[in-house]
Amino acid sequence: MDEDFEALKREATAWIVRITSGTATTDDADALLAWRARSAAHEAAFQASARLWKNLGPALGKSKSAPSTVLTRRTFLATGSLAASVAGGGLILSELGFLPTVGAILADYATGIGEQRTVQLSDGSTMTLDGGTMLSVDFSSSARQLELTTGAAVFDVVSDPARPFVVTAANGKTTAIGTSFSVKHGDDDISVECLRGAD
């Protein structure tokens, strides 16, 4: 079973590389969604690979290696222009809704505009995501960490004093033991509202 799961994680990583390449098409996005929906193991492999991909991002950005070939100015400008065009095209298609954003693909949970979704978490807590929300979850034996990248969500938290429930949005953190509260991550501000209990 472990070998099967490792194989699925390799497939998931290949999907992430393809989707974040800047050349992904709507067919690629649809095929990835179909691949993730094949089984719970496929989805779990995708989530594990996406977490690794997100965590490696800053580390990969810091690595510097000497170029193996010398580029002429003309080659550099042509390659840069092509890369910018492809990336710009992908960004425009994402903004227009034809392709999912990279953030939405790498988030553990994402909703489209006008879509609402209620999710029961592994600790029994629930969260209701508003439209256009992206959120990642990282639970361990000592902490319950969630990151709201954009959008809004209502959290109904099961009490667990040994594992605080922490929602991060931009530079702010909300910590709760057992309560109900909402967090909204707008373009210019973050708002938190306690709906029940005390956080």
Side-chain angles (χ1 to χ4, degrees):
M1 179 65 180
D2 287 340
E3 289 179 12
D4 292 341
F5 188 68
E6 288 303 316
L8 286 176
K9 282 184 6 184
R10 285 192 295 276
E11 286 182 46
T13 300
W15 275 112
I16 292 169
V17 169
R18 182 184 308 174
I19 292 295
T20 59
S21 68
T23 61
T25 65
T26 53
D27 289 340
D28 291 330
D30 290 342
L32 171 58
L33 292 174
W35 185 89
R36 290 174 66 179
R38 285 176 60 183
S39 71
H42 282 75
E43 179 63 19
F46 179 82
Q47 296 297 339
S49 295
R51 274 192 296 278
L52 178 62
W53 186 265
K54 285 189 285 188
N55 291 336
L56 284 178
L60 293 174
K62 292 177 185 172
S63 67
K64 303 250 190 247
S65 59
S68 58
T69 59
V70 177
L71 292 176
T72 65
R73 182 172 183 245
R74 182 177 303 211
T75 304
F76 176 76
L77 291 174
T79 304
S81 296
L82 179 60
S85 297
V86 168
L91 180 62
I92 290 168
L93 289 173
S94 289
E95 291 298 320
L96 292 175
F98 293 111
L99 287 177
T101 65
V102 173
I105 290 170
L106 295 181
D108 292 328
Y109 300 96
T111 54
I113 301 300
E115 174 189 7
Q116 286 193 332
R117 182 176 173 195
T118 299
V119 177
Q120 182 162 15
L121 299 170
S122 61
D123 68 338
S125 300
T126 59
M127 59 184 187
T128 301
L129 309 179
D130 199 6
T133 297
M134 289 183 279
L135 187 141
S136 293
V137 176
D138 185 15
F139 280 13
S140 69
S141 59
S142 61
R144 298 177 286 176
Q145 304 277 343
L146 298 92
E147 182 180 1
L148 181 65
T149 307
T150 188
V154 174
F155 303 93
D156 192 11
V157 181
V158 170
S159 180
D160 186 350
R163 292 194 314 157
F165 192 95
V166 180
V167 178
T168 303
N171 294 326
K173 286 187 180 184
T174 303
T175 303
I177 302 298
T179 186
S180 181
F181 65 99
S182 66
V183 179
K184 180 180 179 188
H185 189 317
D187 291 335
D188 300 321
D189 66 334
I190 307 295
S191 61
V192 178
E193 182 180 356
C194 183
L195 305 174
R196 177 183 50 79
D199 51 4

